[in-house]
Amino acid sequence: MEIRKSRFEDIGQIMGVIQDAQESMCANGIPQWQDGYPNDEVISQDIETGNSYVLVEDGGVIGTAYIVAGHEPNYDYIEDGAWLNNQPYVVVHRIAIKNDYKGKDHASKLMEFAEGLAINSNLHDIRIDTHHKNIPMRKFLSKLGYHACGTIYLDNGDKRIAYQKTI
């Protein structure tokens, strides 16, 4: 098993992982990713910027995440709480694991990888957000030591719970 930067030839497999996540969220009444997002174009942009990563096992993509050290404009305003600090941070978006591999700590490996990228960039904070109804993700983040900091808004106005961890 390895984590590496995504390649354009991975897009089909990445979209398969995302489709699994979309179907799982839909089945659990979570309205996240139910509007055609993320799509091939978004993933292509992620790959182009060099911030898309895949978890690969036996030559197949079983997980994906967008990980970047940088500013997330949607995190500038937070309500019903506050960030743990205002230090520079790494952002994780679009994390997903193929259904057949869920429950086997693969998502934890991607988050540990993000933490390693942060440390290598001399950053000590990670931020991530998820839908309020995405209870599995919220429990997962809490288990990993992430703190729910408040509510942020996406560009389209959708609300998300914002999490942060200092490492």
Side-chain angles (χ1 to χ4, degrees):
M1 185 174 324
E2 71 167 324
I3 297 174
R4 62 165 171 78
K5 286 192 181 253
S6 304
R7 304 175 190 131
F8 287 106
E9 58 264 23
D10 296 324
I11 291 175
Q13 290 186 72
I14 292 169
M15 291 310 300
V17 172
I18 288 169
Q19 184 176 1
D20 274 4
Q22 290 168 326
E23 290 170 1
S24 178
M25 284 190 267
C26 182
N28 288 299
I30 303 165
Q32 187 174 357
W33 290 8
Q34 299 302 305
D35 59 357
Y37 172 91
N39 57 30
D40 294 28
E41 185 179 319
V42 170
I43 300 305
S44 290
Q45 290 170 356
D46 291 351
I47 293 170
E48 216 168 276
T49 61
N51 299 311
S52 177
Y53 294 87
V54 288
L55 177 61
V56 178
E57 185 172 271
D58 297 327
V61 172
I62 64 166
T64 185
Y66 172 85
I67 306 167
V68 63
H71 174 251
E72 169 58 64
N74 291 329
Y75 292 172
D76 289 347
Y77 173 75
I78 188 168
E79 66 182 27
D80 300 327
W83 294 110
L84 301 176
N85 59 52
N86 290 316
Q87 298 299 313
Y89 52 88
V90 164
V91 178
V92 178
H93 287 312
R94 296 182 281 288
I95 183 169
I97 301 295
K98 199 161 182 54
N99 282 346
D100 294 345
Y101 294 87
K102 287 185 178 174
K104 299 176 182 174
D105 269 350
H106 295 308
S108 296
K109 286 176 179 45
L110 283 168
M111 293 303 290
E112 288 168 13
F113 180 80
E115 291 176 14
L117 286 178
I119 290 167
N120 290 338
S121 299
N122 202 27
L123 300 173
H124 302 283
D125 289 276
I126 309 252
R127 293 183 183 182
I128 186 170
D129 64 85
T130 193
H131 195 279
H132 289 70
K133 290 184 177 182
N134 194 340
I135 303 303
M137 184 63 163
R138 292 174 63 187
K139 286 180 179 178
F140 168 71
L141 292 171
S142 292
K143 180 181 128 188
L144 293 181
Y146 285 77
H147 301 275
C149 294
T151 300
I152 60 102
Y153 293 87
L154 304 180
D155 291 338
N156 67 3
D158 286 352
K159 290 171 37 168
R160 297 288 186 262
I161 296 180
Y163 286 82
Q164 183 176 359
K165 180 179 180 179
T166 298
I167 49 176

